[in-house]
Amino acid sequence: MARDKKLFLLDAMALIYRAHFALIRNPIRNSKGVNTSAVYGFTNTLLEVLEKERPSHIAVVFDPPVPTFRHEEFEAYKSQRQEMPEDIGAAIPIVKKLLKAFRIPCMEKNGFEADDVIGTLAKQAPAHGFEVFMMTPDKDYGQLVEEHIYMYKPSYMQNPREILDEKAILKKWGIARVDQVVDILGLMGDSSDNIPGVPGIGPKTAAKLIAEFETIENLLDNTDKLKGKVKEQIEMNKEQALLSKRLATIITNVPVEFDEKDLELEKPDEEALAVLFAELEFRTISKRVLGQEFRIKDVKTSAQPDLFNQEGGPVKEAGPLQTFKDKECSYELVNTDVKMQALAAMLKKTESFCFDTETSGLDPLQSEIVGFSFSIKPGHAYYIPTQADEDETKRILSFFKDVFEDSAIGKTGQNIKFDILVLKQYGIHVRGKLFDTVLAHYLLEPDLRHNMDMLSQTYLGYSPISIETLIGKRGKQQKSMRDLIPEDIVDYACEDADVTLQLQRVFEPLLSEMKVDKLFYEVENPLIYVLAEMENKGVRVDKGALNEYSKELNTDLVRLEKEIFELAGMQFNISSPKQLGEVLFDHLKLDPKAKRTSKTKQYSTSEDVLARLAANHEVAAKLLDFRSIQKLKSTYVDALPLMINPKTGRVHTSYNQAVAATGRLSSTNPNLQNIPIRTEKGREIRKAFIPADDDHTILSADYSQIELRLVAEISNDTGMLEAFKEGIDIHTATSAKIFGVSLAEVTGEMRRKAKMVNFGIIYGISAFGLAQRLNIARSEASEIIRQYFAQYPNIKKYMDDRITMARKHGYVETLMGRRRYLRDINSSNHTVRGYAERNAINAPIQGTAADMIKVAMVNIHEAFLRENIRSHMILQVHDELIFDALKTEVEQVKRIVEDKMRNALKLEVPIVVEIGAGENWLLAH
């Protein structure tokens, strides 16, 4: 008898992959160029089920991101699979957001595949009165089918959907029982999962053998009844057959509980769906689900994220990607002195070459070089292995020292700063004109990713050898390149150099075509040498001072905790959002309208929530202080001593040129750009940054109000330019203009308001935002902004012109031609479009400031070399440069630094550089 309750269990990854590859030759892209095929196809499949099958209960099950028990038993399980396409990787979190908006539960269990979770739930559900449909194109699920449990194969291309019951499975496989599916798979194997099976046994032979012997175990016990090649292969591969059967068996006792209520199909969150469909630009689907196209104006949302982070890229699918087996190439292992001498002589005659290093780790200052490769002609490359013995490695490198250090020979690389730093540890100082393919693509497509695999697939139609095929997947079992023999590395290493060279040939004309070649050759590439020197030098950190400061902050935390408990009238775990929410809103009742988060069903205690409460409730203000100090302590004060390099005794941050789309540098390990400077306690951290020794001092040089000066320059606003030229405080000058008073009559409060407008206007601050920040009426804020534009009319014109340019061309530019692409500028989503418009206004200013300090750094570096300065540039943080200066060179360094910073670009507006020196960074700033 048919049952009323229908449970659909969807195999997420199988359906996402299928959707992506179904549209591989003609992918669906949104206006940002992002491939939305996987999400689009999955959504259509989901809607087909919801509309046609009317399930009462549903769940979507994902594979976990960590290895499962099958990987532990058989290391090669699924190892042959190529890395997940980036478009699929980007689609997975969006699919999860989509399911959340549909209010459909997502499930995954570490250690087990989706098949196992689905199998476990499928076997439990019939006892609760369910008809169960396992929705997947994966044939392995046939082993689970029985009364009330079916395989549901959704429609695909021109093929209608299939529902397979026990009878259909038995007929399809030619077996007597469904559990024999795993016996057939154990014999024939499964290439998609790299299950080996028995060599030479195909589907027909497997089915015939199982029909006769019923199970693999029985077959293995009766091999004397077999003949010829079949007998030989099975007897030789007994263990492999049993292993394959175990790998193919879907586990049905995963520790997950069947909760009927959790799986009930609910009414979707239409507002959330409207936002998602608008961002994805799924107009037809939106109409199908919501009855109309994007209702985005009706959706109440504070921000609209770029769902895919634009990582899909401008991929032009023209057919299947080539791989190494399709390639004709000449890759040579160079492992004798004679061969090395010959290669070095050949390189010496070239105008430029591409090179790449293979290392034992990812830290260029602490990793060993395992080998290095060269390419001077597409399809040809050479790999030179080195030894674990450092002296022998230096001897091998000595053959190539001259060519590396020859400034007349150009060098190409992918993230070449890493290679330069690696070689520097062995006494080799790379010189010559550089070409970094990461930076080339960064200037061409600043919002996208720049890893070599993605670039190769996109621009060359070629999928490189995966590093994981050599050293295994990430985790405890992953090898080091040092563990491999040179013969295992040669193709991989040579390919890196070869592909990078080919990318150079593609990018060179594009850089000229996009008019960013000057920025590339004169700023970004020369800066690589500057940053490599800074990273290699590092900065001395006072470990003792940080330890003492940690104790001081801990005392503050204990005091604040006590005060919070007293104000709350009870003790609780401050770090528990659940407990904190209950104390604030159930016990203290600070906000009767407090909202719970949809995911955790707990009260939100985010920084925004606490900041809103802090004005009226002391406990909220103290909680903000507690969190701020706790973060300061853990992120910097306690972390910095652990980052001191044991070899050098210094902290070596890593600067990233190709991360921030604005052109600004970022830094990692540690992130020095985010050291707090607005609070007294945050500024104290700078005390720990000290000079190399008693003969040095810390010197800081900082651009004064550089962004506002650039606003005046780029907008060519007479009023603002005059204020800067006359040396009048810009906030006082602005106050006088917008409030209609003399400079002498400007009050502190007036100046505060003008300062907020000056800095806020280039970030698109609204009257509402200004009113909130200044705690004034919106009408007053509107009047201040109106007066601002009346007094500085060219700034308003600049803002309008930049938005118009972005809408017409899709990008804006800095004074040096750096482009910021704004693919959302014409979006139908008001929130998304507004964000793009603010970027159109701000990017030319922030980007020009970034270009200026980069030019200054290059020029300072070159001046130091010319004048034999022994002081060092050691840090760059936003608009500030920090130097470890010899006390005997301080005046000379000040002269060079001020000159190069002031004159980095030819501008009408005067540039002011504030310079100070002291025994630590705080005192110097």
Side-chain angles (χ1 to χ4, degrees), residues 777-920:
R778 196 184 302 187
S779 56
E780 183 185 351
S782 294
E783 180 59 20
I784 288 173
I785 291 175
R786 190 187 70 78
Q787 281 293 335
Y788 184 92
F789 287 137
Q791 297 300 322
Y792 296 133
N794 268 24
I795 292 178
K796 182 68 170 73
K797 182 176 184 300
Y798 158 79
M799 294 167 70
D800 293 341
D801 287 349
R802 291 290 78 71
I803 292 172
T804 300
M805 178 186 175
R807 284 179 181 156
K808 184 177 179 181
H809 300 289
Y811 64 85
V812 290
E813 291 180 320
T814 67
L815 289 180
M816 290 197 72
R818 182 185 301 277
R819 292 184 179 183
R820 177 73 192 274
Y821 292 94
L822 301 163
R823 293 178 170 92
D824 295 328
I825 195 70
N826 294 309
S827 172
S828 58
N829 181 329
H830 173 75
T831 308
V832 173
R833 186 175 66 253
Y835 179 74
E837 288 172 351
R838 289 191 293 276
N839 275 331
I841 296 164
N842 179 250
I845 297 159
Q846 201 176 73
T848 299
D851 293 342
M852 268 189 80
I853 201 160
K854 285 179 174 179
V855 171
M857 291 169 75
V858 171
N859 292 343
I860 290 167
H861 177 75
E862 291 175 353
F864 277 14
L865 291 175
R866 279 195 309 272
E867 299 190 28
N868 295 316
I869 298 294
R870 292 177 294 157
S871 301
H872 295 276
M873 193 185 326
I874 54 172
L875 294 174
Q876 187 272 353
V877 179
H878 302 307
D879 303 320
E880 181 181 7
L881 297 176
I882 300 95
F883 300 83
D884 202 351
L886 267 171
K887 289 177 180 177
T888 56
E889 292 181 342
V890 165
E891 294 309 313
Q892 198 177 358
V893 169
K894 281 184 177 179
R895 172 182 58 78
I896 293 171
V897 170
E898 183 173 13
D899 174 54
K900 301 307 177 189
M901 289 181 74
R902 284 181 62 240
N903 297 300
L905 297 180
K906 290 182 180 178
L907 304 172
E908 185 181 345
V909 69
I911 299 300
V912 175
V913 179
E914 297 172 343
I915 301 181
E919 63 187 36
N920 60 56

Side-chain angles (χ1 to χ4, degrees), residues 453-465:
D453 284 3
M454 191 277 284
L455 296 182
S456 178
Q457 291 166 11
T458 303
Y459 293 93
L460 306 177
Y462 179 79
S463 185
I465 299 167

